[in-house]
Amino acid sequence: MPDAGHAGPAWRWRRIAEDAGTGRADPIARCLPFAMMGAVAIVDLAAGPEFGYLPLLALGPAFAALHYGARRIVLIGLIAFVLCIVLAAYDNVLGHRQDNLTLASIIGVTSASALAGARRQQRERELATVRTVAEVAQRVLPRPVPRSAGPLLIAVNYTSAAAEARIGGDLYEVVITPFGVRILIGDVQGKGLGAVETAAGVLGAFREAAYDEADLPGVVNRLEKSLSRTLSGEKFVTAALAQFGDDHVTLVDCGHPPPLILGRDGDLRLVEPEEPSPPLGMTDLADAPPRPYQVPFSPGDQMLFYTDGVIEARDDAGTFYPLLDRAGVLRSSEAEQALRDLEADLVRHTGGPIADDAAMLLVRRR
């Protein structure tokens, strides 16, 4: 399960973005309405009434609509109204036609700004509720993975997408079965609660099949049968399955990005199948079912499983994240820290929150 207590770089970027929308993160922005009214008052006192700066006092409630709610906007508008009366009396123009128009303008701008501020706060509350429900829904799907299983050390990291992105269907699971440690990582096509529902179905089917089926093709067959009852149209699920033996790993890849092996000797490579297989939900289109393949996995080696949110993360120039070039950050002695280092490097590459959820699962052999 994604570590809810881990406030990674992506979460910090998200908090900064949310704070910017409410004005909590920028004291200068909060003070801007008062600074504008103060500047207008000083200029009017210095220049005199003939230049007519008093209508600019309406900028106070206008800027307040960007950061404050309706009550504070009305309060700021009231300050602008009183300040206008005081300055008009000082300039001996109180009650003049132009001054009356200025007061009317302040009232009108304050009313419109208060309505805009109220609607903005309502939308922010609704969006916050949707985000919370979506995040909770996606985070309760995977169960906590075991941190160790025999000679294997396991760590998981889940990097949430940008606040504007819709919830996705990234999934993963680790189970200890009589046939060995089995792992599933996948990504449901599409976004929204429909993707989450599909992810829940895949995880449920895998948790049953992993204990019952003697080999990974049998597990894939069970997953395919389960999805055939729920998927519609051209929907599909990319997935990678692994079973860890004494000195090797058996893999089945169903249209998913291939795992990355980091050898103890410094060897670094993607372990791709000889014959690519279609994703789950589309295996009927293939001439043959997905075939398992084996790769050596010796003491000191580690294998990284990930979703496409990692390799499809782009920087400002549109360049994809170069996972092979950056995999050296996984050399930390602690598996959890290694994934945190990779997450931090991923966020540095994008320069901010990533556009899609990214799940990473690291397995090390002691």
Side-chain angles (χ1 to χ4, degrees):
M1 184 171 132
D3 189 354
H6 165 46
W11 282 104
R12 291 194 289 271
W13 278 101
R14 168 176 291 192
R15 179 56 57 86
I16 291 172
E18 291 177 347
D19 287 348
T22 59
R24 291 193 300 267
D26 192 354
I28 297 178
R30 288 183 296 173
C31 296
L32 185 59
F34 305 99
M36 292 298 299
M37 293 186 295
V40 171
I42 293 173
V43 171
D44 182 78
L45 290 174
E50 61 272 13
F51 291 96
Y53 287 109
L54 292 183
L56 295 179
L57 289 171
L59 291 175
F63 278 103
L66 300 175
H67 307 282
Y68 290 105
R71 292 183 179 179
R72 293 189 179 183
I73 293 173
V74 171
L75 177 60
I76 293 172
L78 180 60
I79 294 174
F81 187 87
V82 172
L83 187 59
C84 181
I85 292 177
V86 173
L87 291 174
Y90 179 83
D91 294 335
N92 294 319
V93 295
L94 184 61
H96 291 191
R97 180 173 179 272
Q98 185 63 37
D99 182 60
N100 292 336
L101 289 175
T102 299
L103 293 173
S105 298
I106 293 175
I107 294 174
V109 172
T110 300
S111 301
S113 299
L115 290 174
R119 294 192 63 181
R120 176 182 55 79
Q121 281 195 324
Q122 181 181 3
R123 288 194 297 268
E124 287 177 352
R125 286 193 295 267
E126 292 173 352
L127 181 59
T129 301
V130 171
R131 287 175 184 165
T132 301
V133 172
E135 289 171 1
V136 171
Q138 189 155 9
R139 287 175 173 275
V140 298
L141 287 177
R143 297 179 300 192
V145 302
R147 299 305 183 189
S148 63
L152 301 179
L153 298 175
I154 304 171
V156 66
N157 182 285
Y158 187 92
T159 305
S160 294
E164 296 80 7
R166 296 179 61 200
I167 183 175
D170 289 9
L171 57 98
Y172 54 83
E173 181 61 287
V174 178
V175 293
I176 303 173
T177 74
F179 314 103
V181 177
R182 288 179 170 177
I183 286 177
L184 167 70
I185 188 166
D187 189 1
V188 180
Q189 178 209 21
K191 303 288 183 182
L193 294 179
V196 176
E197 184 179 5
T198 301
V202 172
L203 287 174
F206 175 75
R207 289 162 183 162
E208 290 187 6
Y211 290 100
D212 298 338
E213 301 295 332
D215 54 24
L216 290 184
V219 177
V220 172
N221 185 51
R222 289 272 294 271
L223 295 179
E224 185 68 30
K225 288 182 178 179
S226 175
L227 283 172
S228 66
R229 296 189 293 267
T230 57
L231 287 182
S232 59
E234 298 181 353
K235 298 290 185 180
F236 59 85
V237 180
T238 66
L241 293 86
Q243 178 176 307
F244 288 83
D246 293 335
D247 57 357
H248 66 277
V249 183
T250 302
L251 298 163
V252 173
D253 190 293
C254 299
H256 198 76
L260 175 68
I261 281 191
L262 296 90
R264 180 181 58 180
D265 56 359
D267 179 44
L268 182 66
R269 59 191 174 95
L270 295 172
V271 286
E272 300 180 275
E274 294 182 0
E275 298 181 6
S277 300
L280 298 174
M282 302 179 68
T283 55
D284 291 341
L285 303 178
D287 296 332
R291 297 180 180 178
Y293 59 103
Q294 289 186 353
V295 295
F297 195 63
S298 304
D301 293 347
Q302 53 184 334
M303 180 175 287
L304 175 69
F305 299 86
Y306 54 92
T307 57
D308 58 8
V310 175
I311 56 175
E312 293 182 358
R314 300 173 184 252
D315 61 11
D316 293 337
T319 304
F320 290 113
Y321 181 69
L323 179 60
L324 279 174
D325 296 337
R326 305 291 184 88
V329 300
L330 293 171
R331 298 297 183 183
S332 173
S333 59
E334 296 291 334
E336 290 83 0
Q337 183 60 47
L339 285 185
R340 286 196 289 268
D341 293 342
L342 181 60
E343 178 196 27
D345 189 64
L346 178 65
V347 175
R348 279 194 299 270
H349 174 79
T350 60
I354 62 176
D356 193 9
D357 294 340
M360 296 175 283
L361 195 151
L362 185 65
V363 181
R364 289 180 170 179
R365 184 177 293 276
R366 300 177 198 267

